């Protein structure tokens, strides 16, 4: 039975009931709904708005209901309108009139806003843990490969030499910012809207701060209209999760490339790759591809809610019920992606030799060759031009800068001497890039150390 039967002479049409109902998806907030009701009932008793004994009875019964739902003893009735209706109905079935007093000074509008905040706070913690675990996997992988020379790319063209450790740590930085964004979202999420009522507050002498305190929230909303109709905390979380998926998707794309025969920089463990039904030789990076593909779902979830929210007048409108499926899907998707990505990366075999060989081709030490001339006094533009000529010469002769004879160097620019070979040596080129944030093995170790410190501080 819905909560709003008094005014109506007919029950809701069956299909319409299904259309209107949110219990198939909001049932996952049962624990948070009950936790919120326990705090509300406790406050009602403390303020003398309902009898203390009745408040205690409500709290005890709510706790029983929570335990029974948790154990599976009490199945959730999927014909109820929503989880709030179901819990209140069950409470009243158990303790009669006392149960009917729970909803005093409350509306489902402030109730659902609270439940979703509590639920998403819990999920945010899971997300933080999963993302932190992934960052740790990345950091460990970077440690194992802090001096593995590889080509760095721009425009997917070999550009300058870097280390694999450095490349990996770029993703650690991105995910660390995601963690910071999550922490920031949580601040605005941890606000209690209870007391906003349906839209216009209530006439009862509530102690809103007390309820917030019981729930571990940091404060209460300032405006009752905003309290019930604010979904910024959902949008902020969805935006953050969309950015997480941008990062994972880029990483996935690189893993897919690195697994190809064209690169062969890494090999995924059999437990994280799949085969082809027709081509016996295939070992496919399906998991990385799925992560890349699933990013679209999460962006779609963000669009769903942005669109749902943009045109609705204050305060609550039923459109807002659409927030849940969108954000639940985004949270589930991100958790699944992160939790699969971490072991896939952890078990991947890094083929350092292949990375190094790729770095030895493509003239990725050309900038270092130009820098060599600059250190000897030539203006950078002239050095750049001379090196460009040398590269063209090498391509003509089928040589590399390492194998081009010194006589040829001197023909282009007489400043060159035999120490140029040391200056353009791949290892030296990487080692010299010691500017803070640079790819030299020494810098990568410092970057790793700083990241580990940040991870420890987050605990
Ligand atoms: N299921 C609803 C939602 O998720 C709960 C709030 C219902 N409020 C209302 N006035 N109909 O938004």
């Amino acid at each position: 039975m819905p909560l709003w039967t008094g005014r109506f002479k007919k029950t809701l049409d069956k299909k319409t009931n299904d259309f209107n109902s949110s219990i198939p998806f909001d049932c996952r907030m049962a624990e948070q709904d009950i936790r919120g009701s326990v705090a509300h009932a406790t406050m009602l008793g403390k303020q003398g708005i309902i009898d203390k004994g009745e408040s205690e009875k409500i709290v005890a019964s709510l706790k029983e209901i929570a335990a029974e739902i948790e154990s599976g003893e009490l199945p959730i009735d999927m014909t109820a309108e929503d989880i709030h209706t179901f819990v209140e109905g069950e409470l009243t079935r158990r303790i009669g009139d006392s149960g009917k007093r729970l909803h005093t000074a409350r509306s489902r509008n402030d109730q659902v806003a609270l439940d979703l905040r509590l639920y998403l706070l819990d999920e945010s913690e899971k997300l933080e843990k999963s993302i932190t675990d992934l960052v740790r996997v990345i950091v460990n992988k970077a440690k194992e490969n802090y001096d593995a020379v590889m080509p760095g790319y721009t425009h997917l063209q070999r550009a300058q030499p870097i280390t694999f450790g450095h490349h990996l740590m770029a993703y650690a930085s991105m995910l660390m910012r995601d963690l910071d964004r999550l922490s920031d979202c949580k601040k605005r999420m941890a606000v209690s809207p209870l007391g906003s009522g349906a839209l216009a507050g209530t006439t009862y002498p509530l102690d809103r701060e007390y309820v917030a305190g019981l729930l571990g929230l940091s404060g209460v909303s300032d405006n009752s209209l905003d309290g019930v109709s604010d979904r910024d905390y959902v949008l902020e979380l969805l935006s953050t999760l969309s950015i997480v998926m941008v990062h994972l998707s880029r990483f996935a794309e690189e893993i897919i490339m690195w697994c190809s025969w064209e690169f062969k920089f890494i090999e995924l463990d059999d437990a994280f790759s799949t085969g082809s039904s027709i081509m016996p030789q295939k070992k496919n990076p399906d998991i990385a591809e799925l992560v890349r593909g699933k990013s679209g779902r999460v962006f779609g979830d963000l669009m769903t809610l942005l669109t749902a929210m943009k045109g609705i007048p204050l305060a609550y409108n039923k459109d807002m019920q659409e927030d849940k499926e969108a954000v639940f899907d985004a949270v589930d998707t991100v958790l699944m992606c992160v939790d699969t990505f971490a072991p896939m990366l952890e078990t991947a075999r890094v083929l350092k030799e292949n990375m190094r060989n790729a770095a030895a081709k493509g003239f990725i030490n050309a900038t270092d060759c130009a820098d060599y001339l600059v250190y000897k006094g030539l203006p950078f533009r002239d050095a750049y031009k001379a090196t460009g000529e040398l590269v063209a010469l090498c391509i003509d002769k089928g040589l590399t800068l390492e194998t081009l004879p010194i006589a040829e160097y001197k023909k282009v620019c007489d400043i060159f001497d035999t120490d140029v070979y040391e200056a353009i040596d791949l290892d030296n080129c990487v080692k010299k890039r010691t500017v803070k944030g640079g790819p030299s093995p020494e810098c990568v170790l410092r970057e790793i150390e700083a990241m580990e410190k940040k991870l420890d501080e987050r605990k």
Side-chain angles (χ1 to χ4, degrees), residues 221-362:
S221 55
D222 296 328
N223 177 296
S224 65
L225 294 171
D226 186 44
V228 287
S229 63
D230 167 28
R231 292 294 181 273
D232 290 1
Y233 59 99
V234 189
L235 287 170
E236 284 187 41
L237 181 63
L238 282 167
S239 309
T240 299
L241 295 182
S242 294
I243 300 174
V244 170
M245 287 309 288
V246 168
H247 296 153
L248 287 187
S249 183
R250 291 183 79 174
F251 204 168
E253 166 65 11
E254 298 212 283
I255 288 178
I256 294 160
M257 282 191 313
W258 294 338
C259 285
S260 73
W261 282 103
E262 282 67 21
F263 280 80
K264 264 291 163 246
F265 286 180
I266 63 167
E267 183 165 351
L268 294 181
D269 192 82
D270 282 2
F272 296 95
S273 343
T274 52
S276 152
S277 59
I278 174 169
M279 297 166 282
Q281 85 285 12
K282 289 297 285 293
K283 183 169 176 184
N284 295 329
D286 282 32
I287 306 309
E289 287 167 27
L290 263 179
V291 169
R292 189 178 56 183
K294 281 183 188 290
S295 58
R297 297 172 72 110
V298 179
F299 307 158
D301 293 328
L302 170 62
M303 280 308 136
T304 298
L305 194 60
L306 283 170
T307 313
M309 293 304 295
K310 79 174 183 67
I312 50 181
L314 297 180
Y316 178 85
N317 294 264
K318 189 79 168 198
D319 319 39
M320 288 159 72
Q321 180 166 287
E322 288 293 308
D323 57 2
K324 281 167 230 46
E325 278 167 296
V327 74
F328 294 165
D329 179 69
V331 168
D332 292 351
T333 303
V334 173
L335 278 172
M336 210 161 46
C337 288
V338 175
D339 291 346
T340 319
F341 206 98
M344 176 185 71
L345 181 67
E346 191 170 27
T347 54
R349 205 154 61 85
V350 178
L351 307 172
K352 294 188 194 184
E353 252 337 275
N354 293 352
M355 287 184 180
R356 208 200 147 76
N357 289 340
K361 295 174 199 154

Side-chain angles (χ1 to χ4, degrees), residues 58-117:
I58 292 172
V59 168
S61 183
L62 281 172
K63 287 187 174 164
E64 265 173 36
I65 294 172
E68 288 174 31
I69 292 178
E70 163 87 19
S71 70
E73 203 178 316
L74 175 64
I76 294 177
D77 173 10
M78 287 296 155
T79 63
E81 187 181 349
D82 51 34
I83 190 64
H84 329 293
T85 311
F86 171 74
V87 172
E88 194 183 319
E90 184 60 27
L91 181 73
T92 305
R93 200 182 61 75
R94 291 181 185 212
I95 60 171
D97 280 353
S98 302
K100 294 187 197 161
R101 297 197 193 279
L102 170 64
H103 212 51
T104 313
R106 190 176 68 170
S107 154
R108 273 184 304 164
N109 298 350
D110 54 355
Q111 186 178 359
V112 73
L114 173 75
D115 291 3
L116 192 56
R117 283 171 185 269

Side-chain angles (χ1 to χ4, degrees), residues 30-48:
E31 190 273 322
Q32 290 78 9
D33 185 74
I34 294 175
R35 214 186 323 144
S37 288
V38 165
H40 180 66
T42 307
M43 182 275 294
L44 291 179
K46 175 182 96 73
Q47 296 296 93

